[in-house]
Amino acid sequence: KASVGAAVSGAMFSGCSSLETVQFNGTVSIGRSAFATCKALKTIEIPDTVKEVGQFVFTGCTGLESAKTGILAESMFNGCTALKTIELGSSVTEIPTNAFKGCTALTILSLTDSNVRTLGSSALQGCTALKRIELPETMESINGYAFVGCTSLEEVAVAGTKYVAEDNLVYTADKSTLLLCPPTRQKVEIPSGVTAIGEAAFYSNTN
């Protein structure tokens, strides 16, 4: 068990393979790779006091099963292959590049109660067990490569005014651009009003 104070420096506990729990005490900042490859960590809850987080903080924490946080950074949970439960606080407005890349145990991700506005490049890349994702009405920007390698993805739900999902296909609100076709789809009928197809719309579709 580790009990940490106001600042956790970069790589401070990196590679501590026996570390099972972390207690944050008024922590304000967590440095780059602070807990990377701490393979015995099962759950993590980052308090609202934390205002700054570096990249790769929990990268390679292969035993991590659940995470609760009000802040995200690039590659924060990259390679957390046991991660099944993610709870994001209302202060999270972006899922950054590679944030959950390679989280191969994640099957459902619901963001409907969040304030996420942006889904970054490769944010969920390689989440091979992900079957359903629910995006909130606050969503303003979806990077076309966010779902690359999500080979089990079947269902996509979108709320709000920027995007629309019909038959689990994601379009811009005016339905002029097709942004995403789930990789599990074997047949797609594109509406006549579609004039553009996103560059990664069919990126992982091999069917």
Side-chain angles (χ1 to χ4, degrees):
K1 179 178 179 179
S3 181
V4 299
V8 181
S9 58
M12 188 172 185
F13 297 97
S14 180
C16 292
S17 57
S18 298
L19 182 63
E20 296 181 354
T21 59
V22 179
Q23 180 180 335
F24 296 98
N25 301 295
T27 305
V28 176
S29 65
I30 303 174
R32 179 186 175 104
S33 303
F35 299 97
T37 64
C38 290
K39 297 181 179 181
L41 275 177
K42 295 291 185 184
T43 183
I44 199 76
E45 182 172 346
I46 298 177
D48 293 338
T49 56
V50 176
K51 303 303 180 184
E52 183 180 351
V53 173
Q55 298 174 338
F56 310 107
V57 171
F58 298 105
T59 289
C61 293
T62 53
L64 190 65
E65 297 177 356
S66 67
K68 181 178 181 181
T69 180
I71 188 170
L72 287 175
E74 288 188 14
S75 300
M76 187 165 174
F77 295 100
N78 190 341
C80 293
T81 54
L83 189 62
K84 296 179 180 179
T85 305
I86 300 166
E87 184 177 344
L88 300 180
S90 59
S91 57
V92 176
T93 59
E94 177 186 10
I95 298 184
T97 299
N98 298 331
F100 298 105
K101 181 179 179 180
C103 293
T104 53
L106 189 65
T107 58
I108 298 174
L109 181 60
S110 178
L111 301 173
T112 52
D113 294 329
S114 75
N115 290 314
V116 171
R117 298 188 182 96
T118 303
L119 198 57
S121 177
S122 302
L124 296 159
Q125 181 178 337
C127 292
T128 52
L130 186 65
K131 292 185 176 181
R132 177 177 175 83
I133 184 165
E134 301 168 354
L135 301 175
E137 60 183 15
T138 52
M139 187 61 64
E140 296 178 355
S141 176
I142 300 174
N143 185 281
Y145 292 92
F147 303 101
V148 167
C150 295
T151 51
S152 298
L153 188 63
E154 298 174 354
E155 302 177 65
V156 183
V158 184
T161 60
K162 291 285 186 178
Y163 301 99
V164 61
E166 291 187 5
D167 195 24
N168 294 307
L169 301 175
V170 179
Y171 305 88
T172 52
D174 61 4
K175 292 186 68 176
S176 65
T177 301
L178 173 63
L179 296 174
L180 175 66
C181 173
T184 53
R185 290 290 291 268
Q186 295 182 331
K187 182 180 180 181
V188 178
E189 293 185 8
I190 299 175
S192 58
V194 173
T195 58
I197 295 177
E199 61 180 348
F202 296 96
Y203 193 92
S204 298
N205 196 310
T206 59
N207 297 310

